[in-house]
Amino acid sequence: NKEFAIYLQPKYRLEDETIVGAEALVRWHSRDNGFISPGDFIPVFENNGFVYEVDKFIWEETCRYLRKWLDDGRAVKPVSVNVSRIDLYDPKLVDYLVALRGRYGIPARYLELEITESAFIDDAATMVDRLQELSAAGFRLSIDDFGTGYSSLSMLEQIPADVLKLDRNFVLGWERNHNNSLVANVVRLARDFGMLTVIEGVETEEQAAMARESGCDVVQGWLYAKAEP
């Protein structure tokens, strides 16, 4: 019924506070029940497998918009899309994404894949193999929600990721403890592995200042911009 829509939340480089990309997010505006929060429907869709269909819709919508912006001659920034652990179990996932990118003629640098850290909770070996296939196919990879407790630091050596996104719980920890040493150390570790760092959930000037002091490269959060249609 076309009740799902793509929203974009910009990502800002801390150094000069300019937009360097965006994350594509799904929103559900139900005809019968109005707006339904992703926190309510995503877990259900992950359990019943429908999340793969929703993800495919968002991936294609993102490619469609990227193609339009390129055709319009705009200065296009990369857009990241979410890939769930359900998606990663499909042995045809890489072929599907490569074909989708090719159908819209999207240069590889404009489509980034965000894989939630929880994807590694069940079968880490399969997940790592799939990510290596995606990386070999030219996709830029981002580990999302890092620090929620599902993976070990040793996983960073195995995952061919380009970006490490720190969970917003790090931001909440700053406010509780007034100490950003943990984030600063994670940022240094990520940098040693050649990864950029993004921190989510930045909503105040104080949080932005602490992100900057920690050495984070990019921020995402309501202080800078909400997700917009």
Side-chain angles (χ1 to χ4, degrees):
N1 297 328
K2 299 183 179 180
E3 294 182 9
F4 294 101
I6 181 176
Y7 276 48
L8 295 176
Q9 185 174 30
K11 302 174 186 178
Y12 287 77
R13 183 168 52 214
L14 268 170
E15 182 181 5
D16 53 11
E17 296 192 340
T18 59
I19 294 176
V20 293
E23 179 181 3
L25 301 164
V26 63
R27 294 293 183 262
W28 186 4
H29 298 275
S30 168
R31 293 180 184 177
D32 298 326
N33 301 300
F35 177 78
I36 300 176
S37 169
D40 292 331
F41 69 80
I42 291 294
V44 177
F45 291 171
E46 285 182 337
N47 284 332
N48 65 20
F50 185 63
V51 70
Y52 199 8
E53 300 306 313
V54 176
D55 285 345
K56 286 179 178 177
F57 167 75
I58 292 297
W59 301 341
E60 181 140 15
E61 283 289 277
T62 299
C63 287
R64 188 170 66 83
Y65 278 111
L66 285 168
R67 183 69 262 160
K68 181 181 186 304
W69 296 332
L70 288 166
D71 290 344
D72 290 345
R74 297 194 185 190
V76 177
K77 305 293 185 183
V79 178
S80 60
V81 296
N82 287 284
V83 178
S84 79
R85 68 179 187 277
I86 303 298
D87 307 337
L88 289 167
Y89 278 115
D90 181 4
K92 298 180 180 178
L93 173 68
V94 180
D95 291 339
Y96 181 89
L97 285 167
V98 169
L100 179 65
R101 189 177 64 189
R103 188 159 70 248
Y104 285 90
I106 305 300
R109 65 185 179 277
Y110 291 133
L111 188 64
E112 183 178 301
L113 308 180
E114 289 197 17
I115 294 88
T116 183
E117 190 195 37
S118 62
F120 303 97
I121 193 172
D122 296 324
D123 186 354
T126 297
M127 300 297 104
V128 170
D129 287 346
R130 192 74 74 241
L131 295 190
Q132 289 174 341
E133 292 172 15
L134 289 166
S135 180
F139 288 101
R140 185 175 170 83
L141 303 179
S142 174
I143 301 302
D144 194 14
D145 297 333
F146 183 80
T148 50
Y150 292 103
S151 68
S152 66
L153 289 174
S154 64
M155 288 291 295
L156 294 181
E157 282 191 305
Q158 304 174 48
I159 302 169
D162 305 283
V163 180
L164 192 67
K165 290 190 75 177
L166 280 67
D167 187 72
R168 71 181 304 270
N169 281 321
F170 282 110
V171 173
L172 300 177
W174 285 340
E175 296 186 333
R176 288 193 302 268
N177 307 318
H178 301 285
N179 188 320
N180 64 350
S181 60
L182 178 59
V183 172
N185 280 292
V186 172
V187 168
R188 279 195 291 270
L189 183 62
R191 197 159 287 160
D192 286 344
F193 286 112
M195 300 181 193
L196 287 175
T197 51
V198 180
I199 192 149
E200 301 178 282
V202 174
E203 298 180 0
T204 68
E205 292 287 356
E206 181 184 9
Q207 292 169 354
M210 294 195 79
R212 193 174 287 107
E213 290 169 10
S214 300
C216 289
D217 300 297
V218 177
V219 288
Q220 192 177 344
W222 285 12
L223 175 64
Y224 294 91
K226 296 182 179 182
E228 298 285 351

